Amino acid sequence: MSGLVEVTTDEELTELVGGAPKAAVVDKVRSALEDTHRQWLAASPFCLIATADAEGNCDVSPKGDPPGFTLVLDDTTIAIPDRPGNRRADGFRNVLSNPHVGLVFLIPGRGDTLRVNGRARLVRDAPFFDEMVVKGHRPRLALVVEIEQVFFHCAKAFMRSKLWQPETWDPNSLPSRARIVQCVERPNDSIEVLEKHYGPEYAKGLYEA
């Protein structure tokens, strides 16, 4: 694409972002969970998991459950249960060839987030699976993450986007989920069938395989 001026060195990037980070920003990184990190995980109902395969092809997958769904196994290990989904398992397939993961834990209404970087493995069973049962669903799979870095991230992105301010929300500015699915996934299904599928009944199957 013409007109692009690319950044190609670390020195150039550092200059463009305004210099090196302050000591407090660097020093906030921990290699093990502290009480405040544990409190955040206990309150968080949602996280994003970033992965990449051996060739560097990336994926970011959302995970959500009741607050505290991420189980703290010890000061350097957490486990995230898998729930029934579309069976693509893109992020999990990436972990099989490249264990490095990055996670961002959110709390609704809060602009700050908790970031965790580490190495992951897939576990098909363990005694702690019994602690992950929700609405009768015991996970068949969990992502176990060995923490290498954990730290809090500031709220500026959420403040700029006004993400949690309801007066800025306009969900009806885009086609419904059913219409998007008909357009890009299931063009042969009627909109009536899809609207019914993604209607009130959809929530009843969240923990059904």
Side-chain angles (χ1 to χ4, degrees):
M1 184 180 297
S2 63
L4 294 179
V5 181
E6 189 175 351
V7 177
T8 58
T9 68
D10 186 81
E11 292 77 13
E12 185 181 7
L13 175 61
T14 298
E15 180 183 358
L16 286 170
V17 300
K22 296 179 180 179
V25 175
V26 176
D27 294 342
K28 70 180 179 179
V29 179
R30 301 288 187 270
S31 58
L33 297 172
E34 297 182 355
D35 287 344
T36 306
H37 304 131
R38 289 171 174 265
Q39 291 170 15
W40 191 278
L41 292 173
S44 176
F46 183 85
C47 76
L48 298 167
I49 303 176
T51 60
D53 66 16
E55 286 73 45
N57 300 299
C58 299
D59 176 74
V60 177
S61 297
K63 297 294 180 182
D65 245 339
F69 74 101
T70 297
L71 191 64
V72 175
L73 301 181
D74 57 45
D75 286 348
T76 59
T77 315
I78 58 176
I80 299 172
D82 187 44
R83 301 298 180 189
N86 59 17
R87 302 188 181 96
R88 284 183 58 100
D90 297 310
F92 290 156
R93 296 183 196 281
N94 287 346
V95 167
L96 293 176
S97 61
N98 177 2
H100 297 283
V101 297
L103 303 90
V104 177
F105 289 90
L106 284 72
I107 294 178
R110 290 287 297 253
D112 45 346
T113 55
L114 182 68
R115 292 170 57 175
V116 174
N117 298 320
R119 298 172 66 89
R121 51 200 165 111
L122 301 179
V123 177
R124 63 181 298 167
D125 201 6
F128 62 77
F129 275 37
D130 292 338
E131 300 178 50
M132 293 178 161
V133 176
V134 175
K135 294 187 176 180
H137 181 268
R138 188 179 190 272
R140 298 178 179 177
L141 191 67
L143 187 75
V144 175
V145 178
E146 303 293 335
I147 297 170
E148 295 176 336
Q149 296 178 317
V150 55
F151 57 98
F152 289 100
H153 194 103
C154 75
K156 289 181 178 178
F158 287 82
M159 295 171 69
R160 292 181 182 122
S161 65
K162 301 181 180 179
L163 186 68
W164 301 125
Q165 298 183 25
E167 64 271 17
T168 70
W169 299 350
D170 188 12
N172 296 323
S173 64
L174 294 168
S176 68
R177 171 63 181 158
R179 292 190 180 279
I180 290 175
V181 168
Q182 186 187 53
C183 179
V184 302
E185 298 177 28
R186 296 162 59 178
N188 296 324
D189 288 352
S190 71
I191 192 62
E192 290 77 18
V193 167
L194 293 172
E195 291 284 9
K196 181 178 180 180
H197 176 75
Y198 289 104
E201 295 294 313
Y202 189 67
K204 295 182 180 179
L206 292 180
Y207 293 93
E208 297 175 3

